[in-house]
Amino acid sequence: HKERTIRGGGFIFFAGAWLWYLFFGQRYGYFMAGLSIAAIVSFIDDIKSLNIKTRLIAQISAISLVFVQLGIYSDFAWWTWLIWLIMAVGIVNAFNFMDGINGITCSYSISVLLPLIYLNNTCNFIDSSYLVLAAASVLIFGYFNFRKKAICFAGDVGSISIAVIIIFALLQLIIKTGNYYYFTLLAVYGTDTGMTLLRRVSKHENLWLAHRTHAYQIMVNEMGKPHLAVAILYSILQLFISAGLIFCNSYHYTYMAIIIVVLSISYWGFMAKTTKKAEFTKREHRL
């Protein structure tokens, strides 16, 4: 993008959640309070950059209110909810880290929301209108963002808001069914973010500094792949993985483990190949 592009278009996710709250029974008050904290602080961050401590406090506060809404603090042991808190904040930041190219936030969010809508028809873990309005807000944003030259970007307010919205639904599904393997619905984002962090740690890089070393960023910036093609790749891959989980009759945890291992090996193989190619190109330039 050579011209200035509007940031914060993902505010529509937050607005859609409030429309649902006001017109569909005004439920989940603690959740809405947490979402509001996350969205407002993130929106301010889009306008004027805030320090990492302020953003992290807002995210922890938001997830804590989500946990209060779900009764996690009262129904689970302290070490359980502490692990969940770390994971949930990690998922929020994963959505934020992965929001770096046109179309990826809207397409990947849809690839997560569709399986949740399908599962809700059988498990009934949340009001269906909640998921439908969330998907509708993502599709509306996608009209302006899922294009070669985006009219607007999601911004932190968008990536973080949709992450909190998805986490709330996903945790309700896990609590209702007692099946932790549903975290596989976020396997692609989770693997890219987790492996990138491990790779940066192995290279002794400062994790708090901005970077362009996620697999999708390498595809776009180093290999010249189109934004939308990469976004579609991530989304379709997640949909196939989620479909496999849903229609697998047994051994769900084995399936989850296999998926994580295969994605991780694929990530390291891809990075090793691109690194070797980059080093070879540098040598050619020197010669």
Side-chain angles (χ1 to χ4, degrees), residues 30-86:
Y30 285 112
F31 159 72
M32 290 304 303
L35 176 62
S36 297
I37 291 171
I40 291 169
V41 171
S42 299
F43 188 67
I44 294 171
D45 187 44
D46 284 329
I47 299 170
K48 181 181 180 181
S49 293
L50 301 174
N51 61 61
I52 184 65
K53 187 182 293 185
T54 302
R55 300 199 303 268
L56 197 57
I57 290 172
Q59 292 168 15
I60 292 173
S61 299
I63 296 301
S64 295
L65 285 167
V66 170
F67 282 14
V68 171
Q69 183 71 69
L70 296 175
I72 289 175
Y73 289 125
S74 57
D75 297 342
F76 294 86
W78 69 269
W79 56 269
T80 302
W81 61 252
L82 181 60
I83 293 172
W84 281 26
L85 181 64
I86 294 169

Side-chain angles (χ1 to χ4, degrees), residues 14-235:
F14 174 57
W18 266 103
L19 284 174
W20 173 83
Y21 178 76
L22 293 173
F23 292 101
F24 288 87
Q26 299 184 15
R27 284 166 286 174
Y28 309 138
Y30 285 112
F31 159 72
M32 290 304 303
L35 176 62
S36 297
I37 291 171
I40 291 169
V41 171
S42 299
F43 188 67
I44 294 171
D45 187 44
D46 284 329
I47 299 170
K48 181 181 180 181
S49 293
L50 301 174
N51 61 61
I52 184 65
K53 187 182 293 185
T54 302
R55 300 199 303 268
L56 197 57
I57 290 172
Q59 292 168 15
I60 292 173
S61 299
I63 296 301
S64 295
L65 285 167
V66 170
F67 282 14
V68 171
Q69 183 71 69
L70 296 175
I72 289 175
Y73 289 125
S74 57
D75 297 342
F76 294 86
W78 69 269
W79 56 269
T80 302
W81 61 252
L82 181 60
I83 293 172
W84 281 26
L85 181 64
I86 294 169
M87 287 183 64
V89 172
I91 292 169
V92 167
N93 282 283
F95 268 79
N96 193 23
F97 296 154
M98 298 296 291
D99 181 37
I101 59 173
N102 296 352
I104 196 166
T105 293
C106 54
S107 61
Y108 190 81
S109 296
I110 285 294
S111 75
V112 177
L113 287 167
L114 287 179
L116 286 173
I117 291 171
Y118 177 85
L119 289 166
N120 194 48
N121 289 329
T122 56
C123 300
N124 192 27
F125 56 89
I126 196 170
D127 188 334
S128 61
S129 60
Y130 173 89
L131 294 173
V132 171
L133 251 70
S137 67
V138 171
L139 289 173
I140 292 170
F141 169 73
Y143 174 78
F144 299 98
N145 179 258
F146 195 85
R147 51 179 76 199
K148 185 176 180 180
K149 187 176 180 181
I151 296 174
C152 68
F153 299 142
D156 286 355
V157 62
S159 58
I160 288 176
S161 293
I162 195 62
V164 174
I165 289 168
I166 287 174
I167 286 168
F168 181 60
L170 181 60
L171 288 180
Q172 289 216 58
L173 171 62
I174 291 170
I175 291 170
K176 176 73 178 289
T177 62
N179 297 322
Y180 294 91
Y181 54 71
Y182 283 120
F183 279 118
T184 312
L185 298 179
L186 299 173
V188 177
Y189 261 20
T191 302
D192 193 325
T193 302
M195 292 297 103
T196 300
L197 286 174
L198 286 176
R199 186 166 177 263
R200 296 191 72 203
V201 168
S202 69
K203 296 172 69 175
H204 307 290
E205 295 181 4
N206 187 340
L207 298 181
W208 303 114
L209 294 179
H211 65 95
R212 291 189 176 186
T213 55
H214 284 283
Y216 79 92
Q217 291 170 320
I218 300 294
M219 292 178 192
V220 169
N221 299 321
E222 306 299 328
M223 301 174 66
K225 302 297 182 183
H227 286 216
L228 301 186
V230 175
I232 291 171
L233 171 65
Y234 271 63
S235 305

